Amino acid sequence: MGWLNGLFGTRTAAPTDGGEVDDLPGLLVDPADETAVTAALDALVDETMTDYLRLTLAPGELRPWSSKVGGRPYVQGGGYYPRGKGAFAGEPLHLLAQLNFAELPALPGLPRTGLLQFFVAADERRRHVYGADPADPTAPDGFRVVYHPRVIEDESLLARVVPDPQAEPFLPVAGGCGLTGQIASQPMSSSDHRFEERLTALVRTALGTDEVPDWVRSAAAQRFGNPSGHQVGGYPGLSSAPDPRHQFPRHTTLLFQLASDSAADVEIVWGDLGVGAFFVAPDRLAACDFSDVLYTWG
């Protein structure tokens, strides 16, 4: 018996007439089909494996220029502070997270220095929940991504912007916490907008059909999963919202993902324990141009 038959085995039906429970035949997979699908899944893992920067909450002392979630934002004295537009016109946005690349491991394609900040609107009662616009996730009315190529590490030269505790109930982040990073690798996630097409092609080659059987879909979900951590690069782990990149094909790179999580000094909650994700076009990323970013959560 192969690993898929071992996984599904036999199933036990609940009695419907008050009598004894009957053992019914479980899902049995043709060994040849199992072998073909297993080999195809292995190949897809190898083909889609990529490096990314895994981020971890790290409680401790925070500076304005630290890599962190929430807390006091880095703002240069007399410098720009992002405010909303449209429905959020004039309202100050709030720091979701910031990444100091000089503190983090180098990942090809990312800046080696500078500070990248993610700001979102606080008012969850409006149509743009957490500043996101489902109709146009590239519209920056309720969010902003700001890059500082040069980081000033002298607090006397920085503006003191204190987080507003009254805004916290309407933000995905309450409190503040540091971030550390390490290079890791992962295959394509099952929530990536390209995954269904790749899975269908796999089944077409392995089984000669465009219909993906349930046992194949279950096996693929086990192999690829849905990453639910904090990260830069790699594949998204959107749990309850579709990947919007099929409608915005230029924004292919996962710039930043922040997941629901908690530590001693911070609580991160996206709706029903989802993730927030920001995507950017590779040429924009190479130019450190973050004026056109796609933001969604789910």
Side-chain angles (χ1 to χ4, degrees), residues 28-113:
L28 298 179
V29 180
D30 185 288
D33 289 347
E34 178 185 344
T35 299
V37 167
T38 299
L41 290 174
D42 289 342
L44 187 56
V45 167
D46 292 339
E47 290 170 12
T48 62
M49 190 69 69
T50 190
D51 288 343
Y52 72 102
L53 183 58
R54 178 190 294 158
L55 301 172
T56 304
L57 297 180
E61 183 181 3
L62 298 178
R63 299 291 189 182
W65 52 83
S66 297
S67 296
K68 58 187 174 182
V69 175
R72 175 186 168 188
Y74 172 90
V75 182
Q76 295 178 1
Y80 165 81
Y81 189 86
R83 291 183 176 272
K85 300 189 294 184
F88 299 98
E91 296 183 16
L93 302 181
H94 302 267
L95 181 67
L96 181 68
Q98 62 184 37
L99 305 173
N100 188 331
F101 291 111
E103 298 177 345
L104 298 170
L107 184 70
L110 292 179
R112 297 296 178 91
T113 59

Side-chain angles (χ1 to χ4, degrees), residues 78-148:
Y80 165 81
Y81 189 86
R83 291 183 176 272
K85 300 189 294 184
F88 299 98
E91 296 183 16
L93 302 181
H94 302 267
L95 181 67
L96 181 68
Q98 62 184 37
L99 305 173
N100 188 331
F101 291 111
E103 298 177 345
L104 298 170
L107 184 70
L110 292 179
R112 297 296 178 91
T113 59
L115 187 76
L116 188 63
Q117 298 177 296
F118 301 85
F119 292 88
V120 298
D123 198 343
E124 191 183 26
R125 295 165 294 183
R126 303 190 185 185
R127 183 175 64 88
H128 298 57
V129 181
Y130 299 146
D133 185 348
D136 182 4
T138 65
D141 291 1
F143 79 96
R144 209 69 42 78
V145 179
V146 179
Y147 179 63
H148 302 272

Side-chain angles (χ1 to χ4, degrees), residues 4-245:
L4 286 170
N5 287 331
L7 171 65
F8 292 106
T10 60
R11 58 188 175 91
T12 301
T16 58
D17 57 359
E20 295 182 357
V21 174
D22 294 325
D23 287 335
L24 299 179
L27 174 61
L28 298 179
V29 180
D30 185 288
D33 289 347
E34 178 185 344
T35 299
V37 167
T38 299
L41 290 174
D42 289 342
L44 187 56
V45 167
D46 292 339
E47 290 170 12
T48 62
M49 190 69 69
T50 190
D51 288 343
Y52 72 102
L53 183 58
R54 178 190 294 158
L55 301 172
T56 304
L57 297 180
E61 183 181 3
L62 298 178
R63 299 291 189 182
W65 52 83
S66 297
S67 296
K68 58 187 174 182
V69 175
R72 175 186 168 188
Y74 172 90
V75 182
Q76 295 178 1
Y80 165 81
Y81 189 86
R83 291 183 176 272
K85 300 189 294 184
F88 299 98
E91 296 183 16
L93 302 181
H94 302 267
L95 181 67
L96 181 68
Q98 62 184 37
L99 305 173
N100 188 331
F101 291 111
E103 298 177 345
L104 298 170
L107 184 70
L110 292 179
R112 297 296 178 91
T113 59
L115 187 76
L116 188 63
Q117 298 177 296
F118 301 85
F119 292 88
V120 298
D123 198 343
E124 191 183 26
R125 295 165 294 183
R126 303 190 185 185
R127 183 175 64 88
H128 298 57
V129 181
Y130 299 146
D133 185 348
D136 182 4
T138 65
D141 291 1
F143 79 96
R144 209 69 42 78
V145 179
V146 179
Y147 179 63
H148 302 272
R150 176 172 171 264
V151 180
I152 299 173
E153 297 186 356
D154 183 343
E155 293 199 43
S156 68
L157 300 177
L158 302 178
R160 184 168 182 80
V161 179
V162 180
D164 180 4
Q166 294 185 355
E168 285 190 349
F170 307 107
L171 290 167
V173 173
C177 186
L179 285 171
T180 59
Q182 66 181 78
I183 302 297
S185 59
Q186 64 183 175
M188 180 181 287
S189 64
S190 58
S191 65
D192 190 285
H193 71 105
R194 299 161 292 184
F195 186 76
E196 190 66 24
E197 180 180 350
R198 297 296 295 268
L199 184 61
T200 300
L202 178 155
V203 169
R204 184 184 304 120
T205 300
L207 303 179
T209 176
D210 284 343
E211 295 294 326
V212 180
D214 289 342
W215 65 269
V216 173
R217 197 171 295 280
S218 297
Q222 282 206 343
R223 295 295 299 276
F224 295 91
N226 206 29
S228 57
H230 320 300
Q231 65 185 74
V232 175
Y235 300 99
L238 296 165
S239 59
S240 61
D243 185 342
R245 291 177 296 167

Side-chain angles (χ1 to χ4, degrees), residues 101 111 116 145-147 255 280 284-285 288-293:
F101 291 111
L116 188 63
V145 179
V146 179
Y147 179 63
L255 180 61
V280 67
R284 297 267 187 165
L285 177 58
C288 292
D289 177 1
F290 302 100
S291 61
D292 181 18
V293 171

